[in-house]
Amino acid sequence: AGDAAGKPAALLLRGYGAMDATKDDLVGDDSRAREAAIRRLAEFDDAASLSLLAEQVGRDPDHGLRLLAVQSLGRSDHPRAPALLEGLFSHAEAAVRSAAFEGLRRQRGPADLRVLDLALKAEKPEIGKLAVEALGTLARKDDQALTRLTAALSAKTPEVRLAALVALETAYPADSPQADLADSVPVPTDEGL
């Protein structure tokens, strides 16, 4: 009951079968009805609704509605939302993965290294690059971020390796001895991929 505390309108709607109607709309052929159902689930903002949103990201045939569902998850402050977003880091669509990454960073905070670790572990170019860029900003003041950024030079994904090299070079002041990394670090190659 604590999950819906403060949401009497959602409870009232459910009492009239709104959740059943929403589930039916999610699997229907009408994209406008699916969009309305996604928006209703976002308003409900409880564990069951968020799980349905995550499922919709995986099955909706419409790119825009998949994005709407993942963005709705990213705006939620429900404790279940972060785990659902983490599960979308391996989604087949780059835009969905990026939206999941941004939503999780919003929920966990920009300095949460675990989110960045998960993005790098996924071995997907766009969220790996986003994670490396975030690490580059954090590395100026955080040794753990700097260590992760340096480790990203060995990432399996070429785009991530290159982004790590660029981020390391910009993480140091121009007059720093570490600033000239391009001369001291081997350029990442695509060999063995």
mmCIF file with all atom_site columns, all heavy atoms in Angstrom, residues 58-75:
data_model
loop_
_atom_site.group_PDB
_atom_site.id
_atom_site.type_symbol
_atom_site.label_atom_id
_atom_site.label_alt_id
_atom_site.label_comp_id
_atom_site.label_asym_id
_atom_site.label_entity_id
_atom_site.label_seq_id
_atom_site.pdbx_PDB_ins_code
_atom_site.Cartn_x
_atom_site.Cartn_y
_atom_site.Cartn_z
_atom_site.occupancy
_atom_site.B_iso_or_equiv
_atom_site.pdbx_formal_charge
_atom_site.auth_seq_id
_atom_site.auth_comp_id
_atom_site.auth_asym_id
_atom_site.auth_atom_id
_atom_site.pdbx_PDB_model_num
ATOM 1   N N   . GLY A 1 58 ? 10.885 -3.059 -24.808 1.00 0.00 ? 58 GLY A N   1
ATOM 2   C CA  . GLY A 1 58 ? 11.375 -4.220 -25.531 1.00 0.00 ? 58 GLY A CA  1
ATOM 3   C C   . GLY A 1 58 ? 10.465 -4.723 -26.626 1.00 0.00 ? 58 GLY A C   1
ATOM 4   O O   . GLY A 1 58 ? 10.901 -5.480 -27.493 1.00 0.00 ? 58 GLY A O   1
ATOM 5   N N   . ARG A 1 59 ? 9.193  -4.279 -26.637 1.00 0.00 ? 59 ARG A N   1
ATOM 6   C CA  . ARG A 1 59 ? 8.285  -4.881 -27.613 1.00 0.00 ? 59 ARG A CA  1
ATOM 7   C C   . ARG A 1 59 ? 7.548  -3.907 -28.518 1.00 0.00 ? 59 ARG A C   1
ATOM 8   O O   . ARG A 1 59 ? 6.983  -4.314 -29.528 1.00 0.00 ? 59 ARG A O   1
ATOM 9   C CB  . ARG A 1 59 ? 7.269  -5.758 -26.889 1.00 0.00 ? 59 ARG A CB  1
ATOM 10  C CG  . ARG A 1 59 ? 6.217  -4.992 -26.132 1.00 0.00 ? 59 ARG A CG  1
ATOM 11  C CD  . ARG A 1 59 ? 5.138  -5.914 -25.589 1.00 0.00 ? 59 ARG A CD  1
ATOM 12  N NE  . ARG A 1 59 ? 4.304  -5.146 -24.678 1.00 0.00 ? 59 ARG A NE  1
ATOM 13  C CZ  . ARG A 1 59 ? 3.887  -5.581 -23.531 1.00 0.00 ? 59 ARG A CZ  1
ATOM 14  N NH1 . ARG A 1 59 ? 4.198  -6.792 -23.116 1.00 0.00 ? 59 ARG A NH1 1
ATOM 15  N NH2 . ARG A 1 59 ? 3.132  -4.829 -22.759 1.00 0.00 ? 59 ARG A NH2 1
ATOM 16  N N   . ASP A 1 60 ? 7.517  -2.623 -28.189 1.00 0.00 ? 60 ASP A N   1
ATOM 17  C CA  . ASP A 1 60 ? 6.734  -1.704 -29.010 1.00 0.00 ? 60 ASP A CA  1
ATOM 18  C C   . ASP A 1 60 ? 7.375  -1.566 -30.390 1.00 0.00 ? 60 ASP A C   1
ATOM 19  O O   . ASP A 1 60 ? 8.584  -1.366 -30.496 1.00 0.00 ? 60 ASP A O   1
ATOM 20  C CB  . ASP A 1 60 ? 6.620  -0.326 -28.352 1.00 0.00 ? 60 ASP A CB  1
ATOM 21  C CG  . ASP A 1 60 ? 5.424  0.437  -28.885 1.00 0.00 ? 60 ASP A CG  1
ATOM 22  O OD1 . ASP A 1 60 ? 5.446  0.857  -30.067 1.00 0.00 ? 60 ASP A OD1 1
ATOM 23  O OD2 . ASP A 1 60 ? 4.441  0.581  -28.142 1.00 0.00 ? 60 ASP A OD2 1
ATOM 24  N N   . PRO A 1 61 ? 6.573  -1.660 -31.440 1.00 0.00 ? 61 PRO A N   1
ATOM 25  C CA  . PRO A 1 61 ? 7.129  -1.563 -32.797 1.00 0.00 ? 61 PRO A CA  1
ATOM 26  C C   . PRO A 1 61 ? 7.513  -0.133 -33.191 1.00 0.00 ? 61 PRO A C   1
ATOM 27  O O   . PRO A 1 61 ? 8.215  0.072  -34.175 1.00 0.00 ? 61 PRO A O   1
ATOM 28  C CB  . PRO A 1 61 ? 6.002  -2.087 -33.690 1.00 0.00 ? 61 PRO A CB  1
ATOM 29  C CG  . PRO A 1 61 ? 4.749  -1.891 -32.898 1.00 0.00 ? 61 PRO A CG  1
ATOM 30  C CD  . PRO A 1 61 ? 5.146  -2.006 -31.457 1.00 0.00 ? 61 PRO A CD  1
ATOM 31  N N   . ASP A 1 62 ? 7.073  0.852  -32.427 1.00 0.00 ? 62 ASP A N   1
ATOM 32  C CA  . ASP A 1 62 ? 7.305  2.256  -32.770 1.00 0.00 ? 62 ASP A CA  1
ATOM 33  C C   . ASP A 1 62 ? 8.501  2.811  -31.999 1.00 0.00 ? 62 ASP A C   1
ATOM 34  O O   . ASP A 1 62 ? 8.515  2.826  -30.768 1.00 0.00 ? 62 ASP A O   1
ATOM 35  C CB  . ASP A 1 62 ? 6.037  3.057  -32.442 1.00 0.00 ? 62 ASP A CB  1
ATOM 36  C CG  . ASP A 1 62 ? 6.133  4.507  -32.859 1.00 0.00 ? 62 ASP A CG  1
ATOM 37  O OD1 . ASP A 1 62 ? 6.953  5.241  -32.266 1.00 0.00 ? 62 ASP A OD1 1
ATOM 38  O OD2 . ASP A 1 62 ? 5.389  4.913  -33.771 1.00 0.00 ? 62 ASP A OD2 1
ATOM 39  N N   . HIS A 1 63 ? 9.496  3.293  -32.750 1.00 0.00 ? 63 HIS A N   1
ATOM 40  C CA  . HIS A 1 63 ? 10.713 3.851  -32.145 1.00 0.00 ? 63 HIS A CA  1
ATOM 41  C C   . HIS A 1 63 ? 10.389 4.963  -31.149 1.00 0.00 ? 63 HIS A C   1
ATOM 42  O O   . HIS A 1 63 ? 10.924 5.000  -30.038 1.00 0.00 ? 63 HIS A O   1
ATOM 43  C CB  . HIS A 1 63 ? 11.623 4.377  -33.258 1.00 0.00 ? 63 HIS A CB  1
ATOM 44  C CG  . HIS A 1 63 ? 12.715 5.273  -32.778 1.00 0.00 ? 63 HIS A CG  1
ATOM 45  N ND1 . HIS A 1 63 ? 13.835 4.794  -32.144 1.00 0.00 ? 63 HIS A ND1 1
ATOM 46  C CD2 . HIS A 1 63 ? 12.840 6.633  -32.807 1.00 0.00 ? 63 HIS A CD2 1
ATOM 47  C CE1 . HIS A 1 63 ? 14.622 5.822  -31.813 1.00 0.00 ? 63 HIS A CE1 1
ATOM 48  N NE2 . HIS A 1 63 ? 14.038 6.936  -32.211 1.00 0.00 ? 63 HIS A NE2 1
ATOM 49  N N   . GLY A 1 64 ? 9.508  5.869  -31.520 1.00 0.00 ? 64 GLY A N   1
ATOM 50  C CA  . GLY A 1 64 ? 9.159  6.993  -30.650 1.00 0.00 ? 64 GLY A CA  1
ATOM 51  C C   . GLY A 1 64 ? 8.522  6.547  -29.351 1.00 0.00 ? 64 GLY A C   1
ATOM 52  O O   . GLY A 1 64 ? 8.763  7.136  -28.291 1.00 0.00 ? 64 GLY A O   1
ATOM 53  N N   . LEU A 1 65 ? 7.725  5.498  -29.407 1.00 0.00 ? 65 LEU A N   1
ATOM 54  C CA  . LEU A 1 65 ? 7.071  5.000  -28.191 1.00 0.00 ? 65 LEU A CA  1
ATOM 55  C C   . LEU A 1 65 ? 8.046  4.221  -27.312 1.00 0.00 ? 65 LEU A C   1
ATOM 56  O O   . LEU A 1 65 ? 7.942  4.266  -26.089 1.00 0.00 ? 65 LEU A O   1
ATOM 57  C CB  . LEU A 1 65 ? 5.847  4.162  -28.545 1.00 0.00 ? 65 LEU A CB  1
ATOM 58  C CG  . LEU A 1 65 ? 4.715  4.944  -29.233 1.00 0.00 ? 65 LEU A CG  1
ATOM 59  C CD1 . LEU A 1 65 ? 3.517  4.054  -29.480 1.00 0.00 ? 65 LEU A CD1 1
ATOM 60  C CD2 . LEU A 1 65 ? 4.337  6.181  -28.445 1.00 0.00 ? 65 LEU A CD2 1
ATOM 61  N N   . ARG A 1 66 ? 9.002  3.534  -27.939 1.00 0.00 ? 66 ARG A N   1
ATOM 62  C CA  . ARG A 1 66 ? 10.049 2.893  -27.136 1.00 0.00 ? 66 ARG A CA  1
ATOM 63  C C   . ARG A 1 66 ? 10.826 3.959  -26.365 1.00 0.00 ? 66 ARG A C   1
ATOM 64  O O   . ARG A 1 66 ? 11.113 3.800  -25.173 1.00 0.00 ? 66 ARG A O   1
ATOM 65  C CB  . ARG A 1 66 ? 10.997 2.083  -28.026 1.00 0.00 ? 66 ARG A CB  1
ATOM 66  C CG  . ARG A 1 66 ? 10.376 0.817  -28.601 1.00 0.00 ? 66 ARG A CG  1
ATOM 67  C CD  . ARG A 1 66 ? 11.399 -0.077 -29.285 1.00 0.00 ? 66 ARG A CD  1
ATOM 68  N NE  . ARG A 1 66 ? 12.094 0.546  -30.392 1.00 0.00 ? 66 ARG A NE  1
ATOM 69  C CZ  . ARG A 1 66 ? 11.692 0.514  -31.660 1.00 0.00 ? 66 ARG A CZ  1
ATOM 70  N NH1 . ARG A 1 66 ? 10.564 -0.108 -31.989 1.00 0.00 ? 66 ARG A NH1 1
ATOM 71  N NH2 . ARG A 1 66 ? 12.417 1.093  -32.616 1.00 0.00 ? 66 ARG A NH2 1
ATOM 72  N N   . LEU A 1 67 ? 11.148 5.057  -27.041 1.00 0.00 ? 67 LEU A N   1
ATOM 73  C CA  . LEU A 1 67 ? 11.861 6.156  -26.377 1.00 0.00 ? 67 LEU A CA  1
ATOM 74  C C   . LEU A 1 67 ? 11.010 6.793  -25.288 1.00 0.00 ? 67 LEU A C   1
ATOM 75  O O   . LEU A 1 67 ? 11.514 7.095  -24.200 1.00 0.00 ? 67 LEU A O   1
ATOM 76  C CB  . LEU A 1 67 ? 12.273 7.216  -27.394 1.00 0.00 ? 67 LEU A CB  1
ATOM 77  C CG  . LEU A 1 67 ? 13.575 6.982  -28.113 1.00 0.00 ? 67 LEU A CG  1
ATOM 78  C CD1 . LEU A 1 67 ? 13.864 8.130  -29.081 1.00 0.00 ? 67 LEU A CD1 1
ATOM 79  C CD2 . LEU A 1 67 ? 14.724 6.811  -27.155 1.00 0.00 ? 67 LEU A CD2 1
ATOM 80  N N   . LEU A 1 68 ? 9.734  6.999  -25.556 1.00 0.00 ? 68 LEU A N   1
ATOM 81  C CA  . LEU A 1 68 ? 8.845  7.585  -24.553 1.00 0.00 ? 68 LEU A CA  1
ATOM 82  C C   . LEU A 1 68 ? 8.809  6.710  -23.303 1.00 0.00 ? 68 LEU A C   1
ATOM 83  O O   . LEU A 1 68 ? 8.877  7.214  -22.177 1.00 0.00 ? 68 LEU A O   1
ATOM 84  C CB  . LEU A 1 68 ? 7.430  7.755  -25.122 1.00 0.00 ? 68 LEU A CB  1
ATOM 85  C CG  . LEU A 1 68 ? 6.379  8.269  -24.137 1.00 0.00 ? 68 LEU A CG  1
ATOM 86  C CD1 . LEU A 1 68 ? 6.729  9.671  -23.642 1.00 0.00 ? 68 LEU A CD1 1
ATOM 87  C CD2 . LEU A 1 68 ? 4.997  8.251  -24.802 1.00 0.00 ? 68 LEU A CD2 1
ATOM 88  N N   . ALA A 1 69 ? 8.737  5.406  -23.488 1.00 0.00 ? 69 ALA A N   1
ATOM 89  C CA  . ALA A 1 69 ? 8.680  4.493  -22.338 1.00 0.00 ? 69 ALA A CA  1
ATOM 90  C C   . ALA A 1 69 ? 9.968  4.540  -21.523 1.00 0.00 ? 69 ALA A C   1
ATOM 91  O O   . ALA A 1 69 ? 9.934  4.621  -20.295 1.00 0.00 ? 69 ALA A O   1
ATOM 92  C CB  . ALA A 1 69 ? 8.387  3.067  -22.812 1.00 0.00 ? 69 ALA A CB  1
ATOM 93  N N   . VAL A 1 70 ? 11.126 4.523  -22.189 1.00 0.00 ? 70 VAL A N   1
ATOM 94  C CA  . VAL A 1 70 ? 12.392 4.548  -21.441 1.00 0.00 ? 70 VAL A CA  1
ATOM 95  C C   . VAL A 1 70 ? 12.598 5.918  -20.792 1.00 0.00 ? 70 VAL A C   1
ATOM 96  O O   . VAL A 1 70 ? 13.109 6.013  -19.669 1.00 0.00 ? 70 VAL A O   1
ATOM 97  C CB  . VAL A 1 70 ? 13.590 4.124  -22.316 1.00 0.00 ? 70 VAL A CB  1
ATOM 98  C CG1 . VAL A 1 70 ? 13.963 5.173  -23.332 1.00 0.00 ? 70 VAL A CG1 1
ATOM 99  C CG2 . VAL A 1 70 ? 14.799 3.808  -21.458 1.00 0.00 ? 70 VAL A CG2 1
ATOM 100 N N   . GLN A 1 71 ? 12.188 6.984  -21.462 1.00 0.00 ? 71 GLN A N   1
ATOM 101 C CA  . GLN A 1 71 ? 12.305 8.316  -20.863 1.00 0.00 ? 71 GLN A CA  1
ATOM 102 C C   . GLN A 1 71 ? 11.398 8.452  -19.653 1.00 0.00 ? 71 GLN A C   1
ATOM 103 O O   . GLN A 1 71 ? 11.754 9.094  -18.662 1.00 0.00 ? 71 GLN A O   1
ATOM 104 C CB  . GLN A 1 71 ? 11.993 9.398  -21.908 1.00 0.00 ? 71 GLN A CB  1
ATOM 105 C CG  . GLN A 1 71 ? 13.082 9.516  -22.955 1.00 0.00 ? 71 GLN A CG  1
ATOM 106 C CD  . GLN A 1 71 ? 12.651 10.291 -24.184 1.00 0.00 ? 71 GLN A CD  1
ATOM 107 O OE1 . GLN A 1 71 ? 11.460 10.539 -24.412 1.00 0.00 ? 71 GLN A OE1 1
ATOM 108 N NE2 . GLN A 1 71 ? 13.622 10.658 -25.008 1.00 0.00 ? 71 GLN A NE2 1
ATOM 109 N N   . SER A 1 72 ? 10.229 7.825  -19.710 1.00 0.00 ? 72 SER A N   1
ATOM 110 C CA  . SER A 1 72 ? 9.324  7.822  -18.554 1.00 0.00 ? 72 SER A CA  1
ATOM 111 C C   . SER A 1 72 ? 9.967  7.107  -17.375 1.00 0.00 ? 72 SER A C   1
ATOM 112 O O   . SER A 1 72 ? 9.861  7.563  -16.230 1.00 0.00 ? 72 SER A O   1
ATOM 113 C CB  . SER A 1 72 ? 7.995  7.150  -18.921 1.00 0.00 ? 72 SER A CB  1
ATOM 114 O OG  . SER A 1 72 ? 7.339  7.882  -19.937 1.00 0.00 ? 72 SER A OG  1
ATOM 115 N N   . LEU A 1 73 ? 10.636 6.005  -17.652 1.00 0.00 ? 73 LEU A N   1
ATOM 116 C CA  . LEU A 1 73 ? 11.371 5.309  -16.590 1.00 0.00 ? 73 LEU A CA  1
ATOM 117 C C   . LEU A 1 73 ? 12.463 6.205  -16.016 1.00 0.00 ? 73 LEU A C   1
ATOM 118 O O   . LEU A 1 73 ? 12.692 6.239  -14.799 1.00 0.00 ? 73 LEU A O   1
ATOM 119 C CB  . LEU A 1 73 ? 12.011 4.025  -17.125 1.00 0.00 ? 73 LEU A CB  1
ATOM 120 C CG  . LEU A 1 73 ? 11.118 2.823  -17.327 1.00 0.00 ? 73 LEU A CG  1
ATOM 121 C CD1 . LEU A 1 73 ? 11.862 1.725  -18.081 1.00 0.00 ? 73 LEU A CD1 1
ATOM 122 C CD2 . LEU A 1 73 ? 10.617 2.303  -15.998 1.00 0.00 ? 73 LEU A CD2 1
ATOM 123 N N   . GLY A 1 74 ? 13.144 6.936  -16.876 1.00 0.00 ? 74 GLY A N   1
ATOM 124 C CA  . GLY A 1 74 ? 14.226 7.807  -16.444 1.00 0.00 ? 74 GLY A CA  1
ATOM 125 C C   . GLY A 1 74 ? 13.764 8.985  -15.608 1.00 0.00 ? 74 GLY A C   1
ATOM 126 O O   . GLY A 1 74 ? 14.528 9.518  -14.800 1.00 0.00 ? 74 GLY A O   1
ATOM 127 N N   . ARG A 1 75 ? 12.512 9.407  -15.772 1.00 0.00 ? 75 ARG A N   1
ATOM 128 C CA  . ARG A 1 75 ? 11.977 10.517 -14.982 1.00 0.00 ? 75 ARG A CA  1
ATOM 129 C C   . ARG A 1 75 ? 11.417 10.058 -13.639 1.00 0.00 ? 75 ARG A C   1
ATOM 130 O O   . ARG A 1 75 ? 11.158 10.880 -12.762 1.00 0.00 ? 75 ARG A O   1
ATOM 131 C CB  . ARG A 1 75 ? 10.892 11.252 -15.773 1.00 0.00 ? 75 ARG A CB  1
ATOM 132 C CG  . ARG A 1 75 ? 11.452 12.123 -16.885 1.00 0.00 ? 75 ARG A CG  1
ATOM 133 C CD  . ARG A 1 75 ? 10.374 13.003 -17.497 1.00 0.00 ? 75 ARG A CD  1
ATOM 134 N NE  . ARG A 1 75 ? 9.362  12.232 -18.219 1.00 0.00 ? 75 ARG A NE  1
ATOM 135 C CZ  . ARG A 1 75 ? 9.434  11.902 -19.503 1.00 0.00 ? 75 ARG A CZ  1
ATOM 136 N NH1 . ARG A 1 75 ? 10.487 12.261 -20.210 1.00 0.00 ? 75 ARG A NH1 1
ATOM 137 N NH2 . ARG A 1 75 ? 8.472  11.223 -20.076 1.00 0.00 ? 75 ARG A NH2 1
#
